[in-house]
Amino acid sequence: MAETVLVVGSGGREHALAWKLAQSPLVQKVLVAPGNAGTASCGKIRNSEVSVSNHAILAQFCKDHNVGLVVVGPEVPLAAGMADDLTAAGVPCFGPSAKAAQLEASKSFSKAFMERHGIPTARYGSFTDAQQACSYIRTADFPALVVKASGLAAGKGVIVAGDQDEACRAVMDIMKDRAFGSAGETVVVEELLEGEEVSCLCFTDGSSVSAMPPAQDHKRLQDGDLGPNTGGMGAYCPTPQVSQELLQQIKETVLQRTVDGMRAEGAPYMGVLYAGLMLTKQGLKVLEFNCRFGDPECQVLLPLLQSDLYEVILNTVSGKLASSAPVWRQDASAVTVVMASAGYPGSYKKGVEITGLSQVEDSGVQVFHAGTALKEGAVVSSGGRVLTVTAVRPSLEAALQAANLGAAAVGFPGAVYRRDIGHRAIAHLSQHRGLTYKDSGVDIAAGNKLVDMIKPLAKATSRAGCNVELGGFAGLFDLKAAGFVDPILVSGTDGVGTKLKIAQACGRHGGLGQDLVAMCVNDVLAQGAEPLFFLDYFSCGRLDVDVAAAVVGGIAKACEMAGCALLGGETAEMPGVYAPGEYDLAGFCVGAAERGALLPRLADIAEGDLLIGLASSGVHSNGFSLVRKVLERANLGFSAPAPFGRSGQTVGEVLLTPTKIYSRLLLPILRSGAVKAYAHITGGGLLENIPRVLPQGLAVDLDASRWSIPPVFSWLHEAGALSEEEMARTFNCGLGAVLVVAPPDAQSVLRQLQAHEEAWIVGSLAHKHQEPVVVRNLKPSLNAGDAPSGELGNSGCRRDSNAPLKRTKVAVLISGTGTNLQALIEQAKRPSSAAEIVVVISNRPGVQGLKRASLAGIQTRVVDHKLYGSRAEFDGTIDRVLEEFGVELVCLAGFMRILTGTFVKKWNGKLLNVHPSLLPSFKGVNAQKQALQAGVRVSGCTVHFVAEEVDAGAIVVQEAVSVLGSDTEDSLSDRIREAEHRAFPAALELVASGAVRLKEDGHVTWKSTSQS
């Protein structure tokens, strides 16, 4: 049955939408509200006088008139929740929800969103105070000359200033003089970018995206891009400046990433997503998002759409876009010329009669009405932009010529229009230049840009023995400076397997860096070696700088976690070898151990030795070919809600959980001599890896009921109908590493491990009879699963399968940059964490720590101590904020205020602080200076419960840091700060999980652990 469709809006965009929808045989009638003269009565199309501002009336109208679909043209109704209200009333509506429309409705939200999700955009600041905005304009180390009203301003709320004074005047006009009303209560000040501006739009069903051909708008009023800015004086499509490779990059790094990000933030985006982009020398940057078709871009895009627009919209609304992608004409170009009233964009006369329209359309061009009305049967002007004349021809030059001829033939006295639409594209096409290396697919400039981006990341991994400076032919490492006397070098190399395919499909690349480092470092540890330096190899068909930077940035961060230097690497761009969007990784780690400290100590390993298992984070980086096959059998996509993992996670998010790095945790324990052997559970699973570190005559006896098996393994076992042997030979099944220890040392080693990580006594060694490894209770443990099907605590007792993992609500108090805050945030993000950071409170506004929290999606509060008359009043306000968020545990991370005794007593046992010394030594300020003056050889950090006496509370975690003869206060402080970033998260986990608590007598009590 043919449908009635309602288009909301009155411009040229809405006329084009109605025109295209009316071509569908599935559409009987197209109503346009309020419409214009072009949509008043034209075949299937007519106007409607229904109120579009009252959504309840509109919904009832749709029901009364059998409207089967509403298509919303402009942004204002979408931002006001029209799609939400119609959908709630049972009326299908094409367009994003109000929450999703924030991408356009709030430039402040949009910029912060892009920053959170790694979408390239101009540098910026967001302000609610005019003076702060002007200060930012004058002090920024880049041209901060673009001033935007954050809210909706009918396309007029952007000022591109010529200098700082003009930019500050624009701020005052918007904020003080309210030039754009409430839309200017917040302003965004952006870096002025240089380059080619293009518009890239897509249909999206909230999961997949289908990109439209790229278009280019012309904002300036006059030819040659002169005159004032307008709402748009014309457009053309497609843009030859945007290659298929670049369009694919835009789709992946902007459009898909935006849709994925909105879904992850609980605001799925369905409709048309418009990205305004600048193609700069540094790469593409997003200027703005719009939550609908552009105007005039819509008028050149829809004439090139071969598919039925009504069917495309239905597929989008129903989530079937991926299987029914729209088809576009490949053999033509479209140009639209906007005809505006004399005086536009300033004041202009209305009611000017327009003639000759039917003759123009007979010449083979299409005229879409915008600011027109009917007056006594005649078409008259009623707005600034009045008509758009669109021509579709085999070439861009022919389309421009036809559109200009059509505009000239319209009887519209005083009309203003441009005659050079598409001039940049024509100049681009007319260029005749010789081939370059870039033409072959190798972009040297992109490679150099990548190196420049990763140099500071690599530099941050410098350590004793190595000062990282990328750019040479080879890297150097000084073993003597690293403290080795009689070292043996140990090397390892690995990749991340087909986990790559999942990361590339999901557009989530950063975690692969940790996977790569972990796979190599954890192997080197098996020889008892300290990882010293790391080299990476990144190969691709076309270098996507942002993707490569995300991967290598992840590698650098993981090297810091592992304690090794990122000494160098290779980026290989090989056109034709890899498909678009694909790349491969390899890593190489070199470590060292003193000759007498190598592992395994085969002669010492004996029957009866115990096996301690360290928790994995999930699948780690092995077995993904089988994982993908199981997903295929289960018909489960990476963006689907995960039937395993934490609530709200997708399949891809769970599977891409990074591999754990064990070096910082294990090295001190390995050096103690208590560990006889260490096995990294990598490819080959439980069955093949543990025997690699054992004497020939011994076998492994594991009991799977003694450790926690993550839910992903239980699901794979069931969904893939995998046998116990297949599970144990392919996957780690929850154990990332296994240590061999003598029974008398087991509890001591276990306690040291459990202070930082989940660990269990999982089995023992026995005399080998037949099988080298026996895994008892694996099938029942897999069937029982982990949370929500049950989980092992540190004691080895399985938790109630119906009891969800409770997370302790944590607040972090800061005063500055929040580097310790970042370490706490990363800890709380871990799926196994017992902590949830619900609020970050600062006593100073505008500090970096607040930005860190916002980027992590954590709510923030500022309680400025300068505004309070007493410490008690200030502390009382802090206390009320903590109660508001239901906080159960408070961490002081660089909080530079002394709390009152009343506050400390109330939060006794629930208040943690970190101090840069090994308490009780060197209390108070200048702890590092005190340590150097005292001539101690060891200092460190202490995480302790806060007591009324400064730095006197019970100790939870300490980490030692050697004091070097060459140390200054700064160098010692830097190394202690790194220790704090490990110790504070460990202490947070111990207290949040209940493993450590403060007794009434002020002493710490530890939850007992026992072997079951």
Side-chain angles (χ1 to χ4, degrees), residues 457-479:
L457 303 176
K459 181 74 173 176
T461 69
S462 297
R463 51 154 292 159
C466 177
N467 185 24
V468 177
E469 293 287 352
L470 297 184
F473 288 101
L476 304 177
F477 194 95
D478 187 340
L479 285 166

Side-chain angles (χ1 to χ4, degrees), residues 667-931:
L667 274 173
I669 300 173
L670 298 183
R671 287 170 177 162
S672 73
V675 176
K676 299 180 180 183
Y678 154 95
H680 178 203
I681 309 303
T682 178
L686 298 172
L687 299 188
E688 296 186 6
N689 286 291
I690 307 175
R692 294 166 69 179
V693 299
L694 299 179
Q696 286 295 319
L698 294 178
V700 175
D701 183 359
L702 294 173
D703 184 349
S705 68
R706 292 186 175 183
W707 75 83
S708 176
I709 298 181
V712 62
F713 295 114
S714 299
W715 183 85
L716 287 167
H717 170 60
E718 181 181 355
L722 304 181
S723 67
E724 290 178 81
E725 182 179 6
E726 197 66 35
M727 291 295 299
R729 191 178 301 281
T730 307
F731 301 116
N732 64 62
C733 295
L735 298 181
V738 172
L739 310 181
V740 180
V741 297
D745 297 324
Q747 288 301 324
S748 172
V749 171
L750 189 63
R751 278 195 297 271
Q752 292 178 71
L753 294 172
Q754 288 177 340
H756 303 275
E757 185 60 83
E758 288 183 290
W760 313 268
I761 295 175
V762 296
S764 61
L765 298 182
H767 180 71
K768 185 190 292 185
H769 294 291
Q770 289 183 332
E771 296 298 328
V773 179
V774 174
V775 186
R776 293 182 286 112
N777 296 316
L778 181 56
K779 186 171 183 178
S781 297
L782 286 166
N783 290 338
D786 199 335
S789 301
E791 183 175 5
L792 285 169
N794 284 342
S795 64
C797 300
R798 194 169 293 277
R799 288 204 283 261
D800 179 1
S801 63
N802 294 317
L805 178 63
K806 182 184 181 297
R807 307 186 80 196
T808 299
K809 293 184 177 180
V810 178
V812 184
L813 274 56
I814 64 169
S815 294
T817 57
T819 56
N820 270 322
L821 165 65
Q822 188 64 40
L824 296 175
I825 288 172
E826 290 173 5
Q827 173 64 29
K829 282 183 177 178
R830 295 171 54 177
S832 61
S833 176
E836 177 188 7
I837 300 176
V838 294
V839 65
V840 171
I841 304 171
S842 173
N843 66 305
R844 293 176 181 169
V847 296
Q848 178 68 19
L850 292 172
K851 190 173 183 180
R852 291 179 190 271
S854 295
L855 289 173
I858 299 170
Q859 294 205 53
T860 60
R861 293 288 188 273
V862 175
V863 182
D864 191 339
H865 62 279
K866 296 176 183 177
L867 304 179
Y868 295 87
S870 67
R871 284 170 53 201
E873 186 181 353
F874 171 74
D875 286 3
T877 303
I878 295 280
D879 190 52
R880 285 192 291 277
V881 175
L882 297 177
E883 290 180 352
E884 173 192 344
F885 284 90
V887 170
E888 302 165 280
L889 178 64
V890 181
C891 294
L892 308 183
F895 186 63
M896 307 303 292
R897 304 296 299 170
I898 297 176
L899 296 165
T900 60
T902 303
F903 185 94
V904 171
K905 284 179 181 176
K906 176 174 179 179
W907 290 89
N908 186 43
K910 302 174 183 177
L911 199 56
L912 290 177
N913 187 34
V914 63
H915 182 73
S917 77
L918 295 177
L919 292 174
S921 299
F922 313 129
K923 296 181 179 180
V925 297
N926 301 321
Q928 296 91 335
K929 184 177 181 180
Q930 294 180 57

Side-chain angles (χ1 to χ4, degrees), residues 27 147 237 241 309 396 525 573 663 676 758 863 890 925:
V27 174
V147 181
C237 179
Q241 302 94 315
L309 177 61
L396 180 62
L525 278 175
E573 193 170 16
S663 54
K676 299 180 180 183
E758 288 183 290
V863 182
V890 181
V925 297

Side-chain angles (χ1 to χ4, degrees), residues 75 180 190 274 538 569 671 801:
E75 66 276 12
F180 304 109
E190 279 187 6
Y274 170 125
F538 180 98
R671 287 170 177 162
S801 63

Side-chain angles (χ1 to χ4, degrees), residues 555-566:
I555 291 171
K557 188 174 180 181
C559 283
E560 287 191 79
M561 294 168 61
C564 62
L566 179 54

Side-chain angles (χ1 to χ4, degrees), residues 9 19 35 52 59 70 75 135 240 305 375 429 431 525 541 548 564 577 597 709 832 838 926:
W19 168 81
V52 295
V70 175
E75 66 276 12
S135 174
L305 178 62
K375 183 177 180 181
L429 292 169
Q431 286 179 348
L525 278 175
C564 62
V577 176
I709 298 181
S832 61
V838 294
N926 301 321

Side-chain angles (χ1 to χ4, degrees), residues 973-997:
S973 296
D974 287 344
R975 294 206 314 285
I976 290 176
R977 192 174 300 112
E978 290 177 7
E980 290 178 358
H981 295 169
R982 296 185 294 273
F984 210 164
L988 168 66
E989 207 57 52
L990 288 170
V991 178
S993 67
V996 168
R997 62 181 179 84

